[in-house]
Amino acid sequence: MKDIVSLCKRRGFIFAASEIYGGINGFWDYGPLGIELKNNLRDRWWKDMVITPPIGPDGSPVEIVGVDSAIIQNPKAWVASGHVGGFSDPMVDCRETKKRYRADHLFVMVPEDKSTEKPWATYLDGEEDSEKTKRLKKAGHKNTDPAAYQTTEINRLGVENYKYVLGPDAKEPGTLTEPKAFNLMFQTYVGAMQSEDSIAYLRPETAQGIFLNYKNVLDSSRVRIPFGIAQIGKAFRNEVNPRNFIFRSREFEQMELEWFCHPDEAKMWRDFWFAERQRFWKSVGLSSDNLQMRDHDSDELSHYAKAGLGTADIEYRFPFTAPGFGELEGIAHRCDFDLTQHQEHSGVKLEYMDPTDSKIRYMPHVIEPAAGLSRGVLALICEAYTVDANRPSGIYLNFHPAMAPKKAAILPLTAKEEHVPLAQKLYMDIREDFAVDLDIKQNIGKRYARQDEIGTPFCFTVDNDTVNDQTVTVRERNTMAQERIHMDKVRDFLHENIKKRG
Ligand code: GAP
């Protein structure tokens, strides 16, 4: 992961936000190539959902429309959605170090014999095998055999035992507090006065902006149930432990679909979206080996999913979770929770009336495929990162050509007068259709290495032969194989090859 993070900075994909001031934990900026990659993934999702939505079980395309709602909404909306009362993680504070940990991420190693002779060491999720945890095991327990411990989430440990527990960064045992709820929503004030009445929240999910516009969309467009409303945008959560680069950050982007259907059809549509969403992630280049579906355990379910068919996550094997997996997208059956809540709290009727029979009225159920755009970008980068000792750069990014920030580079072999104008002409010919780089300076080997590192699938080199016969060399990123094609064929070549797996 360290190598991936450093490549992202070196080549202009992702930078720490406010880096010159030492950064700010949980916030990231996208650089020139990162924004292209993110836009490619975002545009593909939008196209697959809104422009050319998938073919439904009846053989016709399903109906989906888009919205772009405000980040700040009336705070009553967040009361109705349950976020003011319940969008919280149980947190444990350390009185000694003043650090705060998510209780479900903090594990205690309880000796099998419950011996209290030595403090009970703790570690954070994902740090089980770290050098620090190994050291703690040795220092804290007389027995270093892992079988001699039971590892327990601190949530599940009786508070009477907290006095034996040594916090992850503490020197003395017994400094951790009982878990307390901590709301993850960022608060702000709207207007000139800062008072209880002017409190507002930055949205912690894009989904509620969709529910708030459900009636507007129904009243203003021709969609009828079953149909979907899609939205892509920023969400904000004051995560207690932002970590793993952009995987868990405090500002991130989501791509969410709320699919409204008849309650009796919820299962059919849930299965439909399970299959569609896995297909999507494979189509942008994630390999089946690195993807899995996982049903939520009952104690993981969100408040809105408890009554229904549950939630399943599409998970990706990130380098920091391997050999395990981390969540990329959640697909939840939200039942009629949100519309019912908004109806009750706003007093506006949100029931659906069947257009063919006004006596048939019901509150639609919702299937929600909720994907992380930022996490998707991270998964694409992790998947693409390929070590190859046989090339000068030592690595290349094996992006699916459709996701690659640059589809091609045009490289005059030398900065000589006869090569450059031809390269410029080719660049001007194809830049309307594709994101291309015209790179003139440096020796050709270094320029190939740079394009490998940013994952450009094809390089077209203009040389002396181009002057004579208008052919250029095409170099393919993964195989480094070269062939010659006529300059006039470059556009067709790219159209054909961008769709194929690179
Ligand atoms: N509307 C449902 C919802 O928001 P979620 O599972 O909390 O569900 C959906 O979020 C997706 O958003 C996740 O699968 C993940 O990809 C992304 N996500 C959630 N929290 C995130 C964070 N702190 N940083 C980056 N991505 C996050």
Side-chain angles (χ1 to χ4, degrees), residues 284-285 380-381 383-386 395-401 403-404 452-456 476-478 501-502:
V284 294
L380 293 185
I381 295 173
E383 179 84 32
Y385 191 87
T386 311
I395 65 119
Y396 63 101
L397 293 184
N398 173 20
F399 287 127
H400 186 295
M403 291 296 110
D452 281 349
E453 279 202 332
I454 67 174
T456 307
E476 202 273 327
R477 176 195 61 205
N478 292 10
R501 180 76 183 95

Side-chain angles (χ1 to χ4, degrees), residues 87 204-207 237 239 246-250 252-254 256 258 304 327-330 334 368 370-375:
F87 191 58
E205 60 172 12
T206 57
R237 295 183 191 175
E239 297 282 359
I246 56 171
F247 178 81
R248 187 179 304 288
S249 46
R250 290 178 165 143
F252 55 96
E253 274 172 271
Q254 293 186 310
E256 296 200 287
E258 306 304 321
Y304 50 74
E327 177 184 341
L328 181 60
E329 168 161 352
R334 291 182 81 117
E368 177 196 62
L373 173 55
S374 324
R375 272 193 202 172

Side-chain angles (χ1 to χ4, degrees), residues 67-316:
V67 293
D68 183 16
S69 68
I71 283 172
I72 293 181
Q73 300 280 353
N74 188 316
K76 289 179 189 160
W78 301 110
V79 175
S81 68
H83 286 88
V84 170
F87 191 58
S88 53
D89 284 328
M91 303 303 309
V92 170
D93 287 328
C94 177
R95 284 184 287 259
E96 181 190 317
T97 63
K98 309 287 175 247
K99 290 201 174 166
R100 176 169 274 188
Y101 310 97
R102 256 176 74 163
D104 62 337
H105 285 179
L106 183 57
F107 294 91
V108 186
M109 291 182 290
V110 183
E112 269 293 327
D113 57 5
K114 295 266 166 48
S115 151
T116 55
E117 212 175 290
K118 304 254 176 139
W120 297 354
T122 49
Y123 62 87
L124 291 170
D125 190 19
E127 290 179 358
E128 184 171 5
D129 297 322
S130 71
E131 287 307 311
K132 184 182 157 201
T133 306
K134 283 183 196 150
R135 235 183 12 256
L136 273 170
K137 274 186 186 173
K138 281 194 191 141
H141 295 272
K142 55 185 175 186
N143 196 338
T144 53
D145 172 10
Y149 308 106
Q150 264 180 359
T151 300
T152 311
E153 222 176 74
I154 195 151
N155 263 334
R156 300 172 200 260
L157 187 76
V159 278
E160 67 282 5
N161 291 316
Y162 276 40
K163 53 182 176 285
Y164 310 124
V165 176
L166 180 68
D169 304 287
K171 294 203 174 70
E172 296 296 324
T175 61
L176 296 180
T177 62
E178 276 182 55
K180 288 191 290 271
F182 167 83
N183 196 295
L184 299 186
M185 278 197 297
F186 280 101
Q187 274 189 23
T188 186
Y189 297 95
V190 172
M193 299 300 292
Q194 298 200 350
S195 68
E196 277 288 302
D197 295 339
S198 62
I199 288 178
Y201 304 96
L202 302 194
R203 69 180 176 202
E205 60 172 12
T206 57
Q208 294 306 320
I210 295 180
F211 296 121
L212 296 174
N213 282 293
Y214 161 79
K215 187 171 155 38
N216 282 337
V217 170
L218 258 187
D219 292 349
S220 62
S221 67
R222 301 175 74 89
V223 288
R224 292 293 166 255
I225 277 188
F227 74 96
I229 306 181
Q231 168 152 245
I232 299 177
K234 292 247 171 166
F236 303 83
R237 295 183 191 175
N238 197 0
E239 297 282 359
V240 187
N241 301 317
R243 63 208 162 106
N244 292 329
F245 198 25
I246 56 171
F247 178 81
R248 187 179 304 288
S249 46
R250 290 178 165 143
E251 175 178 340
F252 55 96
E253 274 172 271
Q254 293 186 310
M255 309 185 285
E256 296 200 287
L257 171 72
E258 306 304 321
W259 177 255
F260 300 92
C261 62
H262 191 284
D264 294 348
E265 291 189 341
K267 176 158 177 0
M268 179 187 83
W269 287 114
R270 188 189 67 144
D271 295 348
F272 174 81
W273 285 113
F274 277 178
E276 270 306 314
R277 297 306 303 145
Q278 290 180 79
R279 189 200 54 71
F280 171 84
W281 287 113
K282 287 179 201 159
S283 80
V284 294
L286 302 187
S287 81
S288 314
D289 290 348
N290 287 333
L291 288 167
Q292 72 168 22
M293 288 292 286
R294 187 183 67 83
D295 279 318
H296 277 206
D297 295 332
S298 55
D299 61 352
E300 278 178 275
L301 288 176
S302 317
H303 51 289
Y304 50 74
K306 285 216 165 80
L309 302 160
T311 298
D313 287 343
I314 299 181
E315 297 186 325
Y316 180 74

